[in-house]
Amino acid sequence: MFKKIQTSVGEVLDFPPDVVGEGPKITITGRRQVMVENYSSILNFSEEEIRLETAEGDIFFRGKGLMLKVILATELQIEGELFSFSFGGGEIE
């Protein structure tokens, strides 16, 4: 029930999905550190690519020496040399 109320209030007040807690929030610090909040699961992990599933589609991080430094239920921290990130799948309304 709380989820339904939370979504309804967010829609009525026109909050972005990351504020309501559904969409991903990505914080990039330079080219060496990324914090991702509100991810669903880790789909692929290697030193060259990390692929995350989110409510709004997949997110791809590509680089060299990528490592998952912190892994919590709803947030994680990636470190390494980041070359690029992109979004795939999912439909944004």
Side-chain angles (χ1 to χ4, degrees):
M1 179 165 167
F2 178 71
K3 177 80 171 161
K4 186 175 181 179
I5 292 170
Q6 183 181 25
T7 301
S8 299
V9 170
E11 289 172 3
V12 170
L13 298 177
D14 199 27
F15 287 151
D18 65 315
V19 173
V20 181
E22 296 173 8
K25 179 179 178 185
I26 303 166
T27 305
I28 300 175
T29 306
R31 294 183 70 134
R32 306 278 319 158
Q33 187 177 58
V34 179
M35 179 69 75
V36 181
E37 299 175 61
N38 299 329
Y39 76 99
S40 302
S41 65
I42 301 168
L43 300 174
N44 183 39
F45 167 68
S46 72
E47 290 187 2
E48 291 81 32
E49 180 182 85
I50 297 175
R51 179 178 169 202
L52 304 176
E53 179 182 25
T54 74
E56 295 183 358
D58 296 350
I59 303 173
F60 300 84
F61 296 93
R62 292 180 179 88
K64 183 170 132 182
L66 299 178
M67 299 178 285
L68 295 172
K69 293 298 269 189
V70 176
I71 304 173
L72 302 173
T74 59
E75 67 183 63
L76 59 81
Q77 181 177 328
I78 300 169
E79 290 188 1
E81 189 175 352
L82 183 66
F83 296 153
S84 68
F85 78 97
S86 60
F87 300 94
E91 294 297 323
I92 307 297
E93 296 179 16

